[in-house]
Amino acid sequence: MSQTGKDFRFPEGFLWGAATAAHQIEGSPLADGAGPSIWTRFAHTPGMTHNGDTGDVACDHYRRWRQDVALMRELGLKAYRFSVSWSRILPEGTGRVNQSGLDFYSRLVDALLESGIEPLLTLYHWDLPAALDDRGGWLNRDSADWFAEYGSVLYRALDGRVKKWVTLNEPWVVTDGGYLHGALAPGHRSRYEAPIASHNLMRAHGAAVQAYRADGAHEIGLVVNIEPKYPASDGAEDAGAVARAHAYMNEQYLHPAMLGRYPERMREIFGDAWPEWPQADFELIRQPLDFVGINYYTRSVTRADDSYPLRAGAVRQPLGTYTETGWEVFPQGLTDLLLWFKDTYGDTPVYVTENGAAFFDPPVAEDDRIRDPLRTAYLRKHLRAIHEAIEAGVDVRGYMVWSLLDNLEWSLGYSKRFGIVHVNYETQQRTPKDSARWYGRVIASHGSSL
Ligand SMILES: CO[C@H](O)c1c[n+]2c([nH]1)[C@H](O)[C@@H](O)[C@H](O)[C@H]2CO
C-alpha cells in the first residue's frame, strides 16, 4: 500500500522491465566480423556528437553482458528490452550472415531466460548498416525487403526463446532526426527526403511483420514515441498548430500501421514534398499487430509559429519541472495518451516500452549509494499515471524503464544519464542508483508500494 492509502497493484502478469539499445550500450561495434553502422560513421564525423563521443566502447556491454544480466536479476527485473545491431548479423546489410553476431545475441537471450527475465527484442533501434546507407538506405524502396530479410534471419535463429518482437523503434525520430533536421544519423536535411524515408520505414515494418507471420509463432509489434500536444491558448491559430503537431508526431505512424492511411494533415504540413503513395503500400504497412509499444517522456504545450514544416512549436512552462534534456515532467500526459490510443485505435495491447528521465546525479557516496530522488519521483508518478489508465480500461501489459544503464545518448554523447544504474565510463563499474533499488521493490510488490 502506498503512502496515499491507494493500492496501485498492477494486473497479474504485468511485465516489469528495463530497456536499452545496441549502439548505446554495447561498444565493440566492429568486433567478430560486424560491419559499421550509420552511427559508427556519424559519431566519427567531426562535430556530429557532444565532445566527439562515439559508441566505440559505450558501456562495454558486448563484453560485460553476463555481468549485466546478473545485475538485472539482482534488481529483480522480469523483462529486458534490447535491440540487435543489424550489421553484427548482416555486415553488408543483406546476404552473408555473420554467425558470431548471431551467437552473441543467442547467448544473451539464453542467459536472460536462465535468469527468469523475458527478452523483448527490437530489430531496429536506429543503427542501419552503413553498407545499406551506401545503397540509399531508407530512401531506397528496396529497404523493405532488406529489413524483412534481416528480420527473418533473427526469427529463424531466436523465435521461441524470444516471444516478443519489435520491428522499429520510433520511426518518427529516425525520420525527423535523420532526414529532416539532420541531428541524427545519417544527418540529412531535406523536406523531400523525410516523407520518403518515413514511408519506407513503415513499409519495412509491414514487410517484417509479414515475414514474422511466415517464420514466427509469437508476438510482434511496433514502438512509437508519442507526445500529447496541448494548446498554449484557446485561439484558432494554436488549435491548428496542435492539430499539425499531433498529426506529424503521433498519427503519422500509428494511422498507417493501425488504420492503413495517413492523417489528412500530412500534405498541409509538407506541401509539394508529400508524395502520392500507392494504395498497395498501405496494404503492406497495415499488418495486424499483437501489441504497440509507446515511448513516453513528456508533453508539449504547443503554439503556432513560423517553424518548418509544422508551423508549431513548444512553449516552456514557467511553473514546470524539467529534466536535464529539457523535457517537462508531466505524468498526466501519459494517462491522456494511453486513453487517446484506446479511443483512436481500439484495444490492441500496449506496453510502455520506454519512460525515464535524465537528471544530474550526485557521485557515488561513501555508503556506495547514488541518491537520485528526482528520478524515483519521476518513475513513481508515471507508473501511477499508467495505473490510472489501466483502471480506465486501457490494456497496458508492461513497463520498461529507460534505461537500465547510463549510456550513449546519441548526439548528446555521454552528457546525459538516464540509467537506474550508474556507469563509470572510465572503469565500467556499474552502481545501482537508489531508483534501481526502489524499482526492484515496486516490482516485488506488483506496484502496491507505489
Ligand atoms: C524524443 O523522445 C523520444 O521519445 C525518445 C527518448 N529516448 C528515445 N526516444 C530513444 O528510443 C532512446 O534511444 C533514447 O536514449 C531515449 C532518451 O532520449
Side-chain angles (χ1 to χ4, degrees):
M1 193 68 77
S2 73
Q3 302 97 325
T4 64
K6 177 175 168 59
D7 186 348
F8 286 99
R9 190 176 183 85
F10 278 66
E12 207 50 46
F14 188 81
L15 204 55
W16 300 91
T20 66
H23 187 76
Q24 295 181 266
I25 67 165
E26 288 180 359
S28 306
L30 303 177
D32 303 326
S37 76
I38 55 175
W39 269 95
T40 319
R41 270 191 188 155
F42 191 74
H44 281 278
T45 305
M48 292 298 111
T49 64
H50 174 80
N51 278 346
D53 289 345
T54 74
D56 291 354
V57 177
C59 305
D60 199 25
H61 176 76
Y62 185 73
R63 300 188 312 155
R64 297 169 186 264
W65 59 273
R66 284 188 184 83
Q67 161 192 355
D68 290 334
V69 173
L71 180 58
M72 293 181 224
R73 181 177 189 164
E74 183 214 331
L75 294 176
L77 301 188
K78 303 303 180 190
Y80 174 53
R81 177 181 173 233
F82 65 97
S83 77
V84 170
S85 167
W86 184 340
S87 50
R88 287 196 198 282
I89 308 300
L90 294 160
E92 293 77 40
T94 62
R96 180 176 66 88
V97 173
N98 175 33
Q99 190 58 46
S100 298
L102 272 182
D103 291 348
F104 168 71
Y105 293 105
S106 182
R107 285 193 295 268
L108 173 64
V109 166
D110 286 343
L112 290 167
L113 295 172
E114 286 157 19
S115 297
I117 299 168
E118 177 166 5
L120 282 78
L121 188 154
T122 302
L123 292 174
Y124 189 69
H125 202 124
W126 306 359
D127 45 359
L128 185 74
L132 295 182
D133 196 46
D134 292 343
R135 295 163 64 184
W138 295 114
L139 298 173
N140 187 329
R141 278 180 68 91
D142 292 345
S143 49
D145 297 330
W146 303 338
F147 191 56
E149 176 188 347
Y150 159 55
S152 293
V153 169
L154 284 175
Y155 304 150
R156 287 194 287 270
L158 299 174
D159 194 50
R161 290 182 282 162
V162 173
K163 296 182 178 179
K164 288 180 176 61
W165 296 82
V166 167
T167 56
L168 303 176
N169 178 74
E170 301 188 344
W172 179 87
V173 176
V174 177
T175 303
D176 185 79
Y179 290 88
L180 186 64
H181 294 111
L184 302 176
H188 296 194
R189 298 171 186 267
S190 166
R191 69 191 188 101
Y192 290 93
E193 287 188 355
I196 294 167
S198 181
H199 188 69
N200 284 333
L201 275 157
M202 293 310 290
R203 291 177 58 250
H205 157 75
V209 175
Q210 271 187 342
Y212 187 70
R213 300 305 181 203
D215 291 332
H218 299 281
E219 297 178 19
I220 193 162
L222 169 69
V223 167
V224 291
N225 60 293
I226 52 180
E227 182 181 283
K229 312 292 181 181
Y230 303 89
S233 75
D234 56 11
E237 287 286 293
D238 289 350
V242 164
R244 289 190 297 276
H246 180 61
Y248 179 59
M249 181 182 271
N250 302 334
E251 297 175 327
Q252 184 180 186
Y253 301 93
L254 285 172
H255 267 36
M258 306 296 285
L259 306 177
R261 60 178 173 81
Y262 282 115
E264 293 306 311
R265 290 184 183 268
M266 294 316 297
R267 181 166 301 286
E268 175 193 341
I269 293 168
F270 280 98
D272 65 351
W274 186 257
E276 288 296 328
W277 308 110
Q279 184 52 38
D281 285 357
F282 296 101
E283 270 97 64
L284 172 63
I285 294 169
R286 185 186 183 188
Q287 298 293 323
L289 298 180
D290 301 298
F291 64 87
V292 166
I294 288 176
N295 293 353
Y296 177 82
Y297 288 86
T298 190
R299 69 161 173 178
S300 169
V301 177
T302 301
R303 71 177 167 203
D305 67 15
D306 56 4
S307 63
Y308 181 82
L310 280 180
R311 293 176 290 114
V315 181
R316 189 172 177 89
Q317 298 304 292
L319 301 179
T321 301
Y322 285 79
T323 70
E324 284 291 298
T325 46
W327 298 341
E328 186 187 2
V329 179
F330 194 76
Q332 181 59 42
L334 180 49
T335 306
D336 294 348
L337 261 190
L338 290 168
L339 292 170
W340 166 78
F341 179 88
K342 175 180 169 61
D343 293 346
T344 310
Y345 304 110
D347 290 325
T348 300
V350 170
Y351 289 85
V352 176
T353 34
E354 285 181 31
N355 174 246
F359 290 111
F360 177 77
D361 294 332
V364 185
E366 287 176 8
D367 57 3
D368 288 337
R369 283 178 56 186
I370 294 177
R371 291 165 172 79
D372 60 337
L374 293 177
R375 183 171 292 103
T376 298
Y378 178 99
L379 299 178
R380 173 186 285 116
K381 289 172 187 170
H382 287 81
L383 284 166
R384 287 181 175 179
I386 294 169
H387 192 272
E388 183 181 343
I390 291 172
E391 285 188 320
V394 185
D395 186 4
V396 186
R397 300 279 178 92
Y399 175 84
M400 307 292 137
V401 65
W402 185 270
S403 179
L404 171 70
L405 301 173
D406 291 336
N407 60 53
L408 176 65
E409 182 52 31
W410 306 109
S411 305
L412 297 178
Y414 298 99
S415 66
K416 306 300 177 194
R417 292 179 176 268
F418 279 87
I420 57 173
V421 173
H422 174 271
V423 176
N424 177 321
Y425 294 114
E426 278 73 47
T427 66
Q428 291 297 343
Q429 173 76 30
R430 276 78 161 135
T431 306
K433 303 175 190 176
D434 282 2
S435 57
R437 301 298 183 195
W438 168 84
Y439 188 48
R441 294 192 294 274
V442 169
I443 296 171
S445 73
H446 301 287
S448 294
S449 61
L450 272 176

